[in-house]
Amino acid sequence: MSSQPSHSTLLIPGPIEFDDAVLQSMSHYSESHVGPAFVSTFSEALSMLRKLFQTTDPSSQPLVVSGSGTLGWDLVAANLAEPGDEVLVLHTGYFADSFADCFETYGSKVTQLKAPIGSRPQLPEIEKALKEKKYKLLTVTHVDTSTGVLSELKALSELVHRVSPETLIIVDGVCSVGSEEIDFDGWKLDGVLTASQKAIGCPAGLSISMYSGRAIETFKARKTPPGSYFASFKNWLPSKLMFLSEQGIKGNKLTIEIVMQNYEAKKPSYFATPSPQLIHALHTALTQILSRPLSERFAAHREISQKIKKAVTDLGLKQLASNPADQANGMTAIYLPEGVKAPELLPNLFKKGVIFAGGLHKEIAPKYIRVGHMGVSVMDPKRGDIDRAIKSLEAGLSEAGYTKA
Amino acid sequence: MSSQPSHSTLLIPGPIEFDDAVLQSMSHYSESHVGPAFVSTFSEALSMLRKLFQTTDPSSQPLVVSGSGTLGWDLVAANLAEPGDEVLVLHTGYFADSFADCFETYGSKVTQLKAPIGSRPQLPEIEKALKEKKYKLLTVTHVDTSTGVLSELKALSELVHRVSPETLIIVDGVCSVGSEEIDFDGWKLDGVLTASQKAIGCPAGLSISMYSGRAIETFKARKTPPGSYFASFKNWLPSKLMFLSEQGIKGNKLTIEIVMQNYEAKKPSYFATPSPQLIHALHTALTQILSRPLSERFAAHREISQKIKKAVTDLGLKQLASNPADQANGMTAIYLPEGVKAPELLPNLFKKGVIFAGGLHKEIAPKYIRVGHMGVSVMDPKRGDIDRAIKSLEAGLSEAGYTKA
């Protein structure tokens, strides 16, 4: 029931389908990036992010920067770790390798704890690793886009706080924020990074993250300067900023507030030019998300996920994440049956009106496909996206000669 | 003559007013970032950038990454300079200080050649500096957004090639690409970085740059790894990439092609997710720019600039750039008359329907204002933006009690 031109429904694990109102916000007429109208919109978007991440602690700090989800890794690695710091990366697939590369670029020493494909590192081995070495940070991929594996943050955080309370807990939430619950305060997380184009439902182009007061203090206590310029928290410090607006000059201001705090307080700031159109779209997407209780949203994602996973099982297919407790609620990674090839199946599904993704985990990429079920495709059943996905998959497999054994 | 809701015309030195068709492209329905439709759009945008930069040398490399103009500094400083390298930064205002900071973040040794406010370093002093020390790179701000000072690239490049031919010539073209001519090949430039939201006329969110074959070779000859992850050319090398599309897996590919080359060749690639909506808008903006000869575009910007500068002079006001040869064609920085304050004038102009910017050069910020005249406001006279700007300025100054002496 979309006013968009007819197009195959995008059901990859991001970018996802976007609501019409969000896309219309992308066309907002041009505004000054330091004008009161835009600053007010940005302020409200930052406040809404606090609600989405379920944080009421005033020391928590949301950050929205032009860039892709990848930039979130730089924000963490260049600001919260210093050269020589030890970092423990929990590995569930493709993205842990890249996050580890990012840490190494900025001089951290990385230890990866790897799980078999489709699984995740278990608490006892994580406890053992934390006892063997002092880690400055631990990172976990909440939902691994390459495997569809979900990590359990609450128990993990309890473990870290018990065994190694000084270790910062950093969550790669690129494929989870908006489709999986994140209780930032309750679970005592220190950083969650994500992107706009997945379950938040805003077109790509924004790196979005939340940091705890403890993380900000860790940055302030650095002995070495941050290793990046564009991604440096330092450059969001007002000592370097000109405060200006079309209402006139506000003068230089030397405080410990950072640019995001100024935007949230509706004070214009300048380091790098934000994208007013993308921020408008983010504002619309967050307004839609928060118009219903978050618990309803996460329940809907669980329900639709179960529906898809049941259809997959009924077809006689297996998921990469074999343990139900490890299965993400916003995507499903499915092993292809013997004889069915992705380069033939996926174009056929495209013709049927749905776009799925190929495999991404390099060791087994040709052997599986991935389906995203997030955002409006889940929350707006009138679109019929999920039923179309299931029917298309059934028909596509049948046309590929597959019948359940 | 816009179908956009009524709003005050944005005439700051970026973001600028955007054409309706460009804004409508921002609302494009969601597409896979590795699907053939989007890859084709991205490819065409990259090819059009070559035309805008006037480069036909196949070794030139366009790059489009999600981020702001600031990210362009990181791309240069993290990839083309190595720790300890000497860099000469020509200083015409605010932005040279920041570019210098960026180089120092990545370990370069920076020498700044500063000119008085409203002027630019002169060729003889640049020649002297180049003879005193061996510089890996020289940077110049083509149009300094903080002062409206235009640098002359052709003569500068001839000087550098004569005196210090190994020195790479890097142009900060954030406020010039699209409003000032850039003959990338003819002037033998090595890097020009810009952003989408100024004279190119596409909403903010894209870092756009062009590198010479010599710059790419310099990167490949590095002895140390690049200092940034997100901004690293290394991460656009396919050895790290998964090649995938909804048509299926293309397999890992190990070649020396980089991601942008793949996109341009319509081969899907993945490092960080691009923003399909912004790339569509860029495609529309570039198509509009290239629908007329570039020479016409630059002549129109010169003509409108002269019109505004004449009105400023007729009002008895002075520009920061006192020498006509140093005056940008896409913006004008104007000293306020005694007794007229920006925090009172600018809101009054806003009410009259035009948005100008305050001063940005920290030493004299309260003493001047800035007007942007780029893109559709120049190329589409039916909008009436320029006449409205001049009339509003005249009326605003009069209402502030100013009369020409």
Side-chain angles (χ1 to χ4, degrees), chain A residues 28 59 69 98 102 117 130 204 226 253 266 270 277 280 286 311 336 339 348 359 375 379 384:
Chain A
H28 197 284
S59 72
S98 303
C102 182
I117 292 173
L130 288 172
K253 197 171 173 186
K266 309 202 176 185
Y270 175 68
Q277 283 74 16
H280 272 285
L286 291 171
L336 289 168
N348 192 24
M379 300 305 290

Side-chain angles (χ1 to χ4, degrees), chain B residues 26 29 50 97 99 164 200 222 230 241 243 273 296 309 352 376:
Chain B
M26 291 288 284
Y29 61 81
R50 291 183 187 271
D97 288 325
F99 204 170
S164 180
I200 290 178
R222 286 184 71 96
F230 183 63
L241 294 169
F243 286 73
T273 306
E296 267 183 32
K309 287 168 171 66
K352 294 180 189 304
V376 287

Side-chain angles (χ1 to χ4, degrees), chain B residues 25-26 28 31 37-38 41 275-285:
Chain B
S25 299
M26 291 288 284
H28 196 285
E31 286 179 311
F38 171 66
T41 301
S275 180
Q277 283 73 17
L278 278 169
I279 300 293
H280 273 284
L282 176 65
H283 187 282
T284 302

Side-chain angles (χ1 to χ4, degrees), chain A residues 228-230 232-237 240-241 259 271, chain B residues 101 105:
Chain A
S228 167
Y229 183 76
F230 184 63
S232 168
F233 286 0
K234 181 169 73 88
N235 286 323
W236 303 90
L237 283 167
K240 294 183 60 79
L241 295 169
V259 175
F271 163 57
Chain B
D101 273 359
T105 298

Side-chain angles (χ1 to χ4, degrees), chain A residues 53-369:
Chain A
F53 285 85
Q54 303 187 49
T55 174
T56 56
D57 185 334
S59 72
S60 298
Q61 184 57 59
L63 196 66
V64 178
V65 181
S66 279
S68 74
T70 301
L71 181 62
W73 295 336
D74 289 70
L75 288 167
V76 168
N79 291 301
L80 302 183
E82 297 190 61
D85 279 349
E86 299 281 353
V87 175
L88 182 63
V89 170
L90 306 187
H91 184 289
T92 48
Y94 177 79
F95 292 94
D97 288 326
S98 303
F99 204 171
D101 274 359
C102 182
F103 276 111
E104 283 166 356
T105 298
Y106 295 107
S108 295
K109 292 182 189 160
V110 177
T111 302
Q112 288 207 48
L113 206 56
K114 296 201 183 194
I117 292 173
S119 183
R120 55 178 161 95
Q122 300 299 304
L123 293 181
E125 51 185 326
I126 298 168
E127 176 162 359
K128 183 163 169 285
L130 288 172
K131 284 177 173 167
E132 280 169 4
K133 210 184 273 181
K134 191 98 183 161
Y135 289 103
K136 177 82 161 283
L137 299 96
L138 169 146
T139 78
V140 54
T141 311
H142 195 187
V143 169
D144 198 298
T145 315
S146 71
T147 59
V149 167
L150 172 73
S151 288
E152 212 284 295
L153 300 185
K154 185 164 182 277
L156 172 65
S157 180
E158 283 169 0
L159 168 69
V160 178
H161 277 94
R162 177 168 57 79
V163 177
S164 180
E166 299 84 25
T167 302
L168 297 178
I169 302 167
I170 305 295
V171 178
D172 180 339
V174 168
C175 197
S176 77
V177 175
S179 58
E180 307 285 349
E181 176 164 29
I182 293 184
D183 183 355
F184 192 83
D185 288 357
W187 298 346
K188 295 186 182 168
L189 306 176
D190 292 297
V192 178
L193 60 97
T194 189
S196 46
Q197 77 275 12
K198 302 212 179 190
I200 289 178
C202 166
L206 296 176
S207 162
I208 296 169
S209 44
M210 183 72 69
Y211 302 97
S212 68
R214 190 165 80 137
I216 300 294
E217 289 306 316
T218 300
F219 169 73
K220 289 182 182 168
R222 285 183 72 96
K223 294 183 184 69
T224 58
S228 167
Y229 183 76
F230 184 63
S232 168
F233 286 0
K234 181 169 73 88
N235 286 323
W236 303 90
L237 283 167
S239 60
K240 294 183 60 79
L241 295 169
M242 308 297 297
F243 285 74
L244 69 162
S245 79
E246 68 264 31
Q247 256 96 8
I249 311 306
K250 303 275 166 132
N252 289 323
K253 197 171 173 186
L254 291 156
T255 75
I256 57 157
E257 294 170 319
I258 67 171
V259 175
M260 289 296 134
Q261 289 171 338
N262 280 324
Y263 265 116
E264 200 165 0
K266 309 202 176 185
K267 288 181 269 184
S269 305
Y270 175 68
F271 163 57
T273 306
S275 181
Q277 283 74 16
L278 277 170
I279 300 293
H280 272 285
L282 176 64
H283 187 282
T284 303
L286 291 171
T287 302
Q288 290 182 345
I289 288 175
L290 295 170
S291 68
R292 292 163 65 173
L294 283 175
S295 57
E296 266 183 33
R297 181 177 183 84
F298 300 131
H301 279 80
R302 282 194 299 273
E303 186 191 323
I304 293 297
S305 182
Q306 285 308 309
K307 184 174 177 172
I308 288 187
K309 287 168 172 66
K310 180 175 182 303
V312 167
T313 304
D314 288 350
L315 278 164
L317 303 181
K318 294 205 180 310
Q319 296 174 51
L320 268 66
S322 52
N323 181 351
D326 296 350
Q327 292 168 353
N329 294 298
M331 67 169 289
T332 306
I334 309 163
Y335 279 113
L336 289 168
E338 200 71 37
V340 176
K341 293 190 191 324
E344 288 155 18
L345 175 66
L346 296 179
N348 192 24
L349 295 183
F350 180 87
K351 283 183 208 147
K352 295 180 188 303
V354 294
I355 303 172
F356 291 1
L360 186 59
H361 195 296
K362 59 188 171 188
E363 291 173 34
I364 56 163
K367 296 187 177 170
Y368 73 106
I369 58 173

Side-chain angles (χ1 to χ4, degrees), chain B residues 75-87:
Chain B
L75 288 167
V76 168
N79 291 300
L80 303 183
E82 297 191 61
D85 278 349
E86 299 281 352
V87 176

